[in-house]
Amino acid sequence: MARAHGRILTSIWEDEDFLCLSQTQQRLYLFLISQPNLNHAGLLPLTLRRWARKAAGLDLAELHGHLEALAGARFIVLDEDTEEVLIRTFVRNDGVWKMPKVMGAMVSGAQEISSHPLRRALLDEMDRLPLDELSDEPTKTARGEGPSVRRQVIEHIETLRKAISVPDPTPPPTRSETVPEPPAEPLATPLPNPSEGVSEGAPEPSTRERAGAHVRAAPAPTPAPTPAPTPGGTRESAHLADTRAGANRPDGLTPLPDDFAINDGERRWCLATFGPVIDADYETAQFVSHHRAEGGRRRNWHDEWQKWIRRSAKWAAERANKPRLQAVGGHHPWRNPDSDDDYYGEIRTGETA
């Protein structure tokens, strides 16, 4: 059954992160919360074209940029590959976690999630629920006493973890990662030159470092620093600078490079995959303009460009397959400008209304 309303907490207007959003992004968040097909887990299908029709003049690229801004601020979790959106704090803020029966419906809704990042985000939210606030008193049932509200909610959460378990994104460390190699010990005494011999009464030189290479390998030389790319360099140098800048952030996200450009291989891929329907240079210019205006960050901008091209091709195909409206003869209702009543006029070929 479709939802009839969405719950908006008044405390949202005291949330500093929410106040940092633009008014359009704030409206979009409230729009997502009030969608009739939002399930109890906070899951929505990603339907950009349908949402864009809900406001006059709303462009698809503009809508996509606002969604990415909400994802960057962690109000939503977005997966374009599975075309899913998760309202990250919905279970907590909508009070779903306080009602055992609704929590059961939430578990069923969560099993519809295909995206591993969305599943992981939902499981992380379960750890943030203040379960201590729930009653620990036994509930009254027709057969006597039943489990407490807290116990029932905990059982639903345990069922959820079993139902949507996701693989650990970080593999277990190997032995070389957990047990670091001990540093090479310095020579206790410099080795003498064999041609000079050893003077009488001098201490015997240490033979600690005379063992073969199979005992301990010499330390690897310090790698030479990679030179920074020069302005106007190749795409590979620009991508290297982009990656190096992202290394300074824990999430690896970087802004769009100033000299972003596609290479001949990407241009040939676009032509071979989508044909003349997609103009690679035009779409690249649109891509750069959009992300310059939004100021977003990505881990790999060339992968993001390929996503942009695939979406543009999809929308172009949808527009091509959409039937065009054609005027036909017959009776059509017209509005009488001199009254509030509709009247019928007749349109014939060669006549004007």
Side-chain angles (χ1 to χ4, degrees):
M1 181 178 179
R3 301 164 68 242
H5 66 278
R7 176 179 295 184
I8 307 295
L9 300 180
T10 58
S11 59
I12 197 172
W13 301 109
E14 303 299 328
D15 187 334
E16 293 295 333
D17 293 331
F18 188 74
L19 298 181
C20 289
L21 299 175
S22 68
Q23 60 178 351
T24 307
Q25 292 160 3
Q26 290 179 350
R27 177 197 176 277
L28 179 58
Y29 182 69
L30 303 182
F31 169 81
L32 296 176
I33 289 179
S34 58
Q35 287 304 292
N37 57 337
L38 179 67
N39 71 17
H40 289 293
L43 177 69
L44 273 172
L46 180 61
T47 53
L48 288 174
R49 297 181 66 86
R50 180 183 301 174
W51 294 344
R53 292 195 294 267
K54 301 300 182 181
L58 184 58
D59 182 74
L60 284 174
E62 179 185 1
L63 175 60
H64 183 264
H66 293 321
L67 283 171
E68 289 186 332
L70 290 179
R74 300 190 69 247
F75 283 93
I76 64 172
V77 184
L78 181 66
D79 193 326
E80 298 184 47
D81 293 332
T82 61
E83 297 184 327
E84 293 174 311
V85 178
L86 179 72
I87 311 295
R88 187 177 60 85
T89 59
F90 179 79
V91 174
R92 181 157 41 94
N93 290 339
D94 201 67
V96 173
W97 65 282
K98 298 179 180 180
M99 299 172 283
K101 291 185 178 180
V102 183
M103 278 292 286
M106 186 277 292
V107 174
S108 298
Q111 294 182 54
E112 301 175 7
I113 302 176
S114 301
S115 166
H116 282 179
L118 266 65
R119 289 186 173 194
R120 189 174 297 112
L122 182 60
L123 292 177
D124 290 342
E125 283 299 310
M126 296 300 102
D127 295 331
R128 303 182 62 194
L129 297 178
L131 300 179
D132 292 340
E133 298 179 9
L134 297 177
S135 172
D136 207 18
E137 297 294 327
T139 57
K140 303 296 183 181
T141 66
R143 299 180 180 180
E145 292 185 346
S148 66
V149 172
R150 184 191 304 176
R151 182 67 254 167
Q152 293 179 60
V153 171
I154 290 176
E155 290 176 355
H156 283 308
I157 294 176
E158 292 174 351
T159 301
L160 175 68
R161 293 191 181 281
K162 295 177 182 178
I164 64 169
S165 59
V166 293
D168 188 353
T170 56
T174 61
R175 176 173 176 80
S176 60
E177 294 174 339
T178 56
V179 182
E181 182 72 17
E185 300 179 4
L187 292 175
T189 305
L191 293 178
N193 188 335
S195 62
E196 297 178 355
V198 180
S199 60
E200 185 177 354
E204 287 290 334
S206 171
T207 59
R208 183 182 305 170
E209 299 301 325
R210 296 183 182 178
H214 64 280
V215 176
R216 177 178 297 148
T222 304
T226 304
T230 57
T234 62
R235 182 183 72 82
E236 288 74 10
S237 63
H239 179 63
L240 180 61
D242 191 23
T243 305
R244 191 179 296 119
N248 297 328
R249 291 172 54 100
D251 54 9
L253 300 177
T254 61
L256 182 68
D258 293 337
D259 55 352
F260 178 86
I262 61 173
N263 59 17
D264 292 338
E266 289 169 322
R267 191 175 282 102
R268 287 194 298 270
W269 166 81
C270 182
L271 180 61
T273 306
F274 304 107
V277 175
I278 297 298
D279 185 334
D281 293 323
Y282 171 78
E283 291 296 340
T284 301
Q286 293 291 95
F287 172 82
V288 171
S289 298
H290 169 73
H291 287 288
R292 288 257 192 276
E294 290 297 327
R297 291 173 177 268
R298 298 290 185 278
R299 289 185 177 86
N300 189 316
W301 280 104
H302 287 273
D303 285 348
E304 188 67 23
W305 175 84
Q306 288 190 342
K307 291 182 181 179
W308 177 284
I309 295 296
R310 285 193 289 268
R311 284 195 299 269
S312 297
K314 177 182 178 182
W315 295 336
E318 291 176 354
R319 288 194 298 270
N321 295 329
K322 185 176 181 180
R324 295 181 178 272
L325 297 177
Q326 297 179 353
V328 297
H331 292 277
H332 300 271
W334 293 86
R335 172 69 64 182
N336 187 341
D338 299 327
S339 71
D340 293 332
D341 298 326
D342 289 336
Y343 70 98
Y344 283 83
E346 185 172 355
I347 299 178
R348 293 189 179 88
T349 304
E351 297 182 359
T352 59

PDB file of all heavy atoms in Angstrom, residues 97-109:
ATOM      1  N   TRP A  97      12.125   2.002  13.896  1.00  0.00           N
ATOM      2  CA  TRP A  97      12.811   1.134  14.836  1.00  0.00           C
ATOM      3  C   TRP A  97      12.070   0.990  16.164  1.00  0.00           C
ATOM      4  O   TRP A  97      12.358   0.063  16.938  1.00  0.00           O
ATOM      5  CB  TRP A  97      14.215   1.670  15.107  1.00  0.00           C
ATOM      6  CG  TRP A  97      14.217   3.005  15.803  1.00  0.00           C
ATOM      7  CD1 TRP A  97      13.994   4.225  15.255  1.00  0.00           C
ATOM      8  CD2 TRP A  97      14.439   3.229  17.198  1.00  0.00           C
ATOM      9  NE1 TRP A  97      14.071   5.209  16.195  1.00  0.00           N
ATOM     10  CE2 TRP A  97      14.348   4.620  17.403  1.00  0.00           C
ATOM     11  CE3 TRP A  97      14.716   2.398  18.283  1.00  0.00           C
ATOM     12  CZ2 TRP A  97      14.511   5.205  18.660  1.00  0.00           C
ATOM     13  CZ3 TRP A  97      14.883   2.975  19.526  1.00  0.00           C
ATOM     14  CH2 TRP A  97      14.782   4.359  19.721  1.00  0.00           C
ATOM     15  N   LYS A  98      11.100   1.843  16.440  1.00  0.00           N
ATOM     16  CA  LYS A  98      10.366   1.776  17.704  1.00  0.00           C
ATOM     17  C   LYS A  98       9.187   0.816  17.651  1.00  0.00           C
ATOM     18  O   LYS A  98       8.592   0.521  18.694  1.00  0.00           O
ATOM     19  CB  LYS A  98       9.863   3.172  18.089  1.00  0.00           C
ATOM     20  CG  LYS A  98      10.967   4.186  18.313  1.00  0.00           C
ATOM     21  CD  LYS A  98      10.384   5.552  18.665  1.00  0.00           C
ATOM     22  CE  LYS A  98      11.484   6.580  18.888  1.00  0.00           C
ATOM     23  NZ  LYS A  98      10.927   7.916  19.225  1.00  0.00           N
ATOM     24  N   MET A  99       8.811   0.356  16.458  1.00  0.00           N
ATOM     25  CA  MET A  99       7.601  -0.464  16.291  1.00  0.00           C
ATOM     26  C   MET A  99       7.983  -1.833  15.738  1.00  0.00           C
ATOM     27  O   MET A  99       8.383  -1.944  14.560  1.00  0.00           O
ATOM     28  CB  MET A  99       6.633   0.247  15.342  1.00  0.00           C
ATOM     29  CG  MET A  99       6.177   1.609  15.853  1.00  0.00           C
ATOM     30  SD  MET A  99       5.223   2.557  14.634  1.00  0.00           S
ATOM     31  CE  MET A  99       6.552   3.132  13.562  1.00  0.00           C
ATOM     32  N   PRO A 100       7.899  -2.879  16.545  1.00  0.00           N
ATOM     33  CA  PRO A 100       8.328  -4.209  16.088  1.00  0.00           C
ATOM     34  C   PRO A 100       7.645  -4.677  14.805  1.00  0.00           C
ATOM     35  O   PRO A 100       8.296  -5.261  13.934  1.00  0.00           O
ATOM     36  CB  PRO A 100       7.976  -5.111  17.276  1.00  0.00           C
ATOM     37  CG  PRO A 100       8.007  -4.202  18.471  1.00  0.00           C
ATOM     38  CD  PRO A 100       7.508  -2.887  17.980  1.00  0.00           C
ATOM     39  N   LYS A 101       6.341  -4.438  14.656  1.00  0.00           N
ATOM     40  CA  LYS A 101       5.652  -4.897  13.449  1.00  0.00           C
ATOM     41  C   LYS A 101       6.164  -4.168  12.210  1.00  0.00           C
ATOM     42  O   LYS A 101       6.346  -4.775  11.150  1.00  0.00           O
ATOM     43  CB  LYS A 101       4.143  -4.697  13.600  1.00  0.00           C
ATOM     44  CG  LYS A 101       3.496  -5.626  14.626  1.00  0.00           C
ATOM     45  CD  LYS A 101       1.995  -5.453  14.644  1.00  0.00           C
ATOM     46  CE  LYS A 101       1.345  -6.411  15.642  1.00  0.00           C
ATOM     47  NZ  LYS A 101      -0.132  -6.254  15.682  1.00  0.00           N
ATOM     48  N   VAL A 102       6.401  -2.873  12.342  1.00  0.00           N
ATOM     49  CA  VAL A 102       6.916  -2.115  11.208  1.00  0.00           C
ATOM     50  C   VAL A 102       8.359  -2.526  10.913  1.00  0.00           C
ATOM     51  O   VAL A 102       8.794  -2.528   9.762  1.00  0.00           O
ATOM     52  CB  VAL A 102       6.814  -0.597  11.480  1.00  0.00           C
ATOM     53  CG1 VAL A 102       7.275   0.205  10.264  1.00  0.00           C
ATOM     54  CG2 VAL A 102       5.374  -0.216  11.826  1.00  0.00           C
ATOM     55  N   MET A 103       9.114  -2.882  11.965  1.00  0.00           N
ATOM     56  CA  MET A 103      10.478  -3.367  11.744  1.00  0.00           C
ATOM     57  C   MET A 103      10.472  -4.656  10.927  1.00  0.00           C
ATOM     58  O   MET A 103      11.366  -4.903  10.119  1.00  0.00           O
ATOM     59  CB  MET A 103      11.178  -3.604  13.076  1.00  0.00           C
ATOM     60  CG  MET A 103      11.755  -2.345  13.703  1.00  0.00           C
ATOM     61  SD  MET A 103      13.156  -1.669  12.778  1.00  0.00           S
ATOM     62  CE  MET A 103      14.444  -2.841  13.202  1.00  0.00           C
ATOM     63  N   GLY A 104       9.450  -5.491  11.125  1.00  0.00           N
ATOM     64  CA  GLY A 104       9.333  -6.687  10.306  1.00  0.00           C
ATOM     65  C   GLY A 104       9.134  -6.343   8.841  1.00  0.00           C
ATOM     66  O   GLY A 104       9.723  -6.969   7.944  1.00  0.00           O
ATOM     67  N   ALA A 105       8.302  -5.300   8.580  1.00  0.00           N
ATOM     68  CA  ALA A 105       8.124  -4.847   7.198  1.00  0.00           C
ATOM     69  C   ALA A 105       9.406  -4.224   6.657  1.00  0.00           C
ATOM     70  O   ALA A 105       9.709  -4.333   5.460  1.00  0.00           O
ATOM     71  CB  ALA A 105       6.974  -3.842   7.134  1.00  0.00           C
ATOM     72  N   MET A 106      10.177  -3.579   7.535  1.00  0.00           N
ATOM     73  CA  MET A 106      11.452  -2.994   7.116  1.00  0.00           C
ATOM     74  C   MET A 106      12.420  -4.071   6.651  1.00  0.00           C
ATOM     75  O   MET A 106      13.115  -3.911   5.644  1.00  0.00           O
ATOM     76  CB  MET A 106      12.063  -2.204   8.269  1.00  0.00           C
ATOM     77  CG  MET A 106      13.338  -1.431   7.917  1.00  0.00           C
ATOM     78  SD  MET A 106      14.852  -2.414   7.972  1.00  0.00           S
ATOM     79  CE  MET A 106      14.984  -2.735   9.727  1.00  0.00           C
ATOM     80  N   VAL A 107      12.472  -5.193   7.361  1.00  0.00           N
ATOM     81  CA  VAL A 107      13.359  -6.291   6.967  1.00  0.00           C
ATOM     82  C   VAL A 107      12.968  -6.814   5.593  1.00  0.00           C
ATOM     83  O   VAL A 107      13.824  -7.084   4.738  1.00  0.00           O
ATOM     84  CB  VAL A 107      13.319  -7.416   8.020  1.00  0.00           C
ATOM     85  CG1 VAL A 107      14.121  -8.621   7.545  1.00  0.00           C
ATOM     86  CG2 VAL A 107      13.853  -6.918   9.359  1.00  0.00           C
ATOM     87  N   SER A 108      11.660  -6.927   5.345  1.00  0.00           N
ATOM     88  CA  SER A 108      11.210  -7.387   4.025  1.00  0.00           C
ATOM     89  C   SER A 108      11.589  -6.386   2.938  1.00  0.00           C
ATOM     90  O   SER A 108      12.025  -6.765   1.852  1.00  0.00           O
ATOM     91  CB  SER A 108       9.691  -7.596   4.035  1.00  0.00           C
ATOM     92  OG  SER A 108       9.325  -8.595   4.977  1.00  0.00           O
ATOM     93  N   GLY A 109      11.426  -5.076   3.239  1.00  0.00           N
ATOM     94  CA  GLY A 109      11.797  -4.058   2.259  1.00  0.00           C
ATOM     95  C   GLY A 109      13.284  -4.011   2.008  1.00  0.00           C
ATOM     96  O   GLY A 109      13.726  -3.743   0.883  1.00  0.00           O
TER      97      GLY A 109
END
